[in-house]
Amino acid sequence: MLKNKFSTIGHLVLIGAVISGSALLVQAEEITEVSAESAAQVKLDYTAHCAACHGSERLGAMGPALLPDNLKRLRKNKATKVIAEGRAATQMPAFKNVLNEDQRKALVDYIYTKPTMTPTWTEKDILSTQVVSYKKDELPSKTVFEADLMNLFLVVELGDHHVTLLNGDTFEPIHRFKSRFALHGGPKYSPDGRFVYFASRDGWITKYDIYNLKVVAEVRAGINTRNLAISSDGKSVIVGNYLPNNLVMFDAESLDLMKVYPVVNDEGTNSRVSAVYNAPPRNTYIAALKDLKEVWEIPYPVDGKPAEIRKITVDDYLDDFFFDPDYKLLIGASRDAIGGQVVDLDLGKVVNQIPLPGMPHLGSGITWDYPVKDSRGQTVMKQVLASPNLKEGKVSVIDMQTWKVIKEIKTEGPGFFMRSHEKSPYAWVDVFFGPNKEAVHVIDKATLEIVKTLRPSPGKTAAHVEFNKDGSKVILSIWDMDGEIIVYDANTLKEEKRLPMVKPSGKYNVWNKTQYERGTSH
Ligand code: DHE
């Protein structure tokens, strides 16, 4: 009788795996005993409130995987608080009015329980998912539409998982196509702008031919993916994963697997990848890690052969980071730190600390030249970096020589994305969180003052802007199922056009992205 009263959380996970026919889980290692009633209740709560975002088997979907390995940096009491109050800078809502304290604690115990089946995604799994619809040169190298190919935009519509290709001169849609579930991070263009590579949170990599409006190849690189990067020679693509803890390199042509790099240090501790970026002047990829205090530099493959990794030890975990325009310095921060670190990639060490309290969103950081008077009264240009803050209503502007804060620009709430363009006098920052999420600020790059605050759709989140090729227009998303994108004149700040879209998130201009324009993300 007593025996019957006990079940295992692990068994419930196993049932889920069998039902979904998933090939992601392998044999049990550890089983935690809890009463059958509690196990059933926690599973019901998980299914009702968590599974839609974190996946029915805790492997991640819109939200991250919830497995002990992925939660190493989060203490259990902090996790209970996150369930009650939500998590800053994410889509995680507060559940304190929906789940009582016991339910919240039971959920925390559940997510910190090792699944009976360990999730895996092997080279064999990767290879088995590869589909090549069109081989090299099978499709014509001219477009099936007329437009300035360097001034195209892609708009990711998160609401119904579609992508719209937009003419950047007329702002007329050219084509709309279905994407994989929950694309996240910037799609990456091939250097000539013909192809684009998308990554979905559940690990799918899609290569799309913009000239022919067709998917060329697809492969599933992992279970829970962060982002991808493409090399400047256009020959390889690398994917950073949360689950499994690895980086996966593909040949950019047909997404043939080249190499899996397990992310583990010499002592055997493994880590999720915070993100991986291309570093053009270095001919390398740079990845920062979430659970190891290391930055990894991965050279492009030579003659198709992947090279060995160079590892740089840093002072703290780097959740978020970006580079100076020369890719000599990496500027990064941990989400819980009170400051950022400047890593000299040539010297291979941390060379400075930056006073950046709150939660700077360095992934959205931009740089520009800011005019100051020198000791002789002459105007000289100083390179500054600016970052929104995910916790506080401010934009920090930092001198990139002294690493001192020049100004903290007060905004109406925490912001997610910041953008500018070399030819624009303005930088735009959204107010993504809180009661003023409908607002977007326009900052004068020379005075560091907010010159205008736009509220284009009262009550709806206005977020993420991208400039066109010559910096004369800006498009802004109204982040709503009944949403739209709004085109502005980038100089007069006057609204020019609205196009209905389904929760449009990021927008990506071919020229700005392929030229590594300073005002946008790379
Ligand atoms: Fe993002 C880019 C990490 C939550 C929308 N986001 C990125 C990148 C990283 C990142 C590392 C750069 C990848 C690249 O371009 O190659 N994002 C994170 C997080 O750690 C965080 C805070 C938590 C998480 O859920 O993973 C997070 N991000 C979100 C969201 O909640 C957003 C608003 C909605 C969504 O899609 O889930 C969101 N992130 C975006 C967008 C970009 C992005 C639109 C690309 C911006 C660009 O202009 O390049």
Side-chain angles (χ1 to χ4, degrees), residues 83-94:
I83 297 176
E85 294 170 14
R87 189 165 172 79
T90 71
Q91 309 291 310
M92 173 74 187

Side-chain angles (χ1 to χ4, degrees), residues 354-498:
I354 327 177
L356 273 176
M359 204 187 263
H361 191 207
L362 289 167
S364 196
I366 57 171
T367 63
W368 70 79
D369 294 328
Y370 168 67
V372 284
K373 296 265 184 247
D374 69 6
S375 51
R376 287 166 302 155
Q378 307 271 322
T379 301
V380 288
M381 300 310 257
K382 234 180 209 305
Q383 181 160 256
V384 295
L385 82 79
S387 165
N389 200 293
L390 296 165
K391 248 193 196 158
E392 296 171 23
K394 65 179 181 191
V395 167
S396 306
V397 183
I398 289 165
D399 180 332
M400 289 182 75
Q401 242 174 6
T402 62
W403 300 106
K404 296 228 159 48
V405 177
I406 294 179
K407 183 163 181 183
E408 281 188 345
I409 305 168
K410 201 168 157 19
T411 64
E412 289 190 17
F416 220 104
F417 301 107
M418 183 153 192
R419 289 286 174 269
S420 185
H421 190 284
E422 196 70 51
K423 302 234 172 72
S424 172
Y426 303 123
W428 295 53
V429 65
D430 53 36
V431 178
F432 200 86
F433 304 100
N436 299 314
K437 62 186 184 170
E438 63 190 25
V440 174
H441 299 295
V442 182
I443 296 166
D444 185 324
K445 293 198 290 193
T447 62
L448 307 185
E449 298 291 336
I450 293 177
V451 289
K452 193 158 185 176
T453 296
L454 302 159
R455 293 173 197 280
S457 282
K460 291 183 178 173
T461 306
H464 192 279
V465 303
E466 173 77 319
F467 283 77
N468 66 345
K469 181 171 112 180
D470 66 11
S472 61
K473 309 279 179 201
V474 171
I475 47 179
L476 166 71
S477 291
I478 300 302
W479 202 286
D480 195 88
M481 288 307 276
D482 184 18
E484 47 198 353
I485 55 163
I486 307 179
V487 183
Y488 290 93
D489 181 300
N491 296 308
T492 64
L493 310 180
K494 294 247 156 54
E495 183 180 320
E496 295 195 337
K497 186 169 185 173
R498 292 189 179 218

Side-chain angles (χ1 to χ4, degrees), residues 89 91 184 186 188 201 226-227 277 335 419 464 508 521:
Q91 309 291 310
H184 177 237
K188 301 289 149 63
R201 286 202 188 247
R226 276 324 266 162
N227 78 323
Y277 295 101
R335 291 251 190 269
R419 289 286 174 269
H464 192 279
Y508 309 91
S521 62

